Amino acid sequence: MPLPALTVSNLSCMRSGRRLFAPIGFELSEGSVLILRGENGSGKSTLLRTLAGLMPIKEGTMQSASHPLYLGHANALHPSATVSEHVQFWRELKPTRAITDNAVLETLGLSTHAFKLAAHLSNGQKRRLSFARLLMHPSRLWLLDEPQAALDANGLSMFLGLLKEHLSQGSSAIIASHDALNITPATTLELKGAA
C-alpha cells in the first residue's frame, strides 16, 4: 500500500483576516495526483503556497514526507535574462539532477530559443521554460498552479509526459486547475467557501 506523501488535517487558509474556505483534510498517497478546483478567489493558490511553506499555517496541520517543489501561476522569469541564463541560474540555486542544460532545453522544446530573452518569448514558451525546475530539481511532491496555462497542444503533451514520468517514480503532485487534465489516477478536491 502506498505511503502518504502529504497529510493535511483541518487546514484552513486566511487572507486579510478572512478564512477562504472551510477546513479541509486529505491524505495524498505516493504516486498520486490531487486536482484542486474552485471558483476564482476560492483559495487554490493560497493553499498551494501554504503547503509549499511560503505562507504560515493559521489553522490545522500538515505533514509532508519531502520538501515540495512549487511552481506558481506566474512564471517568475526575468525579462532581460535569456533562456539559457534562467536554466543556469536555477542550476545554482539548489542540488540538481544529472541532466545537462541542453537536455533540459531539448525536452522543453526550447533548444532553438536558448539565447532569446525571456521578454521575447510567447506566453506558452515562458510556461515551458518555468518547467525547467521540474526537470532539474528533485522533489517527491510537486505543487503546481495552473501549469497548463498558455500551453498549445504540444506543450500540454510535453507537460503531461513530465507528470506521468514523475508519478511513475512514486512521486506525487497537487495541481490547481480549471481545466480537465488527462491523468490517472487523480482525485479532485473542490474548495468551498467558508461558512
Side-chain angles (χ1 to χ4, degrees):
M1 180 176 178
L3 297 172
L6 178 69
T7 302
V8 171
S9 301
N10 203 37
L11 183 68
S12 185
C13 294
M14 309 284 284
R15 186 186 301 138
S16 301
R18 180 179 67 89
R19 181 181 287 148
L20 295 177
F21 49 81
I24 59 170
F26 62 85
E27 188 172 274
L28 180 69
S29 299
E30 292 179 344
S32 65
V33 176
L34 177 68
I35 307 294
L36 296 179
R37 302 252 189 241
E39 297 177 354
N40 292 334
S42 62
K44 299 183 300 298
S45 297
T46 301
L47 175 57
L48 288 177
R49 290 176 59 81
T50 300
L51 296 176
L54 299 174
M55 297 181 70
I57 295 176
K58 299 291 187 180
E59 298 177 351
T61 62
M62 62 165 279
Q63 292 181 320
S64 178
S66 63
H67 186 73
L69 175 59
Y70 168 74
L71 289 186
H73 192 268
N75 295 310
L77 305 179
H78 196 290
S80 62
T82 67
V83 168
S84 285
E85 287 170 340
H86 279 92
V87 173
Q88 292 164 9
F89 173 76
W90 287 325
R91 186 174 296 285
E92 294 172 1
L93 279 181
K94 61 194 298 187
T96 59
R97 291 191 175 100
I99 183 172
T100 67
D101 291 0
N102 287 338
V104 169
L105 296 181
E106 183 175 339
T107 300
L108 300 175
L110 295 173
S111 295
T112 59
H113 303 288
F115 301 105
K116 186 180 283 189
L117 296 178
H120 299 157
L121 297 175
S122 71
N123 286 335
Q125 290 168 335
K126 291 175 182 176
R127 199 57 175 158
R128 285 173 181 247
L129 179 55
S130 74
F131 294 156
R133 293 177 56 212
L134 301 179
L135 291 167
M136 298 169 65
H137 297 157
S139 175
R140 302 282 291 171
L141 175 59
W142 289 354
L143 304 174
L144 309 177
D145 197 350
E146 297 288 350
Q148 75 283 12
L151 293 178
D152 59 16
N154 288 335
L156 181 57
S157 177
M158 179 269 296
F159 165 69
L160 290 175
L162 295 179
L163 180 59
K164 288 175 182 176
E165 174 65 20
H166 177 70
L167 298 175
S168 74
Q169 298 169 4
S171 298
S172 307
I174 300 178
I175 303 174
S177 177
H178 292 288
D179 302 325
L181 289 173
N182 184 21
I183 191 75
T184 55
T187 56
T188 300
L189 174 62
E190 184 86 23
L191 294 184
K192 305 289 187 183

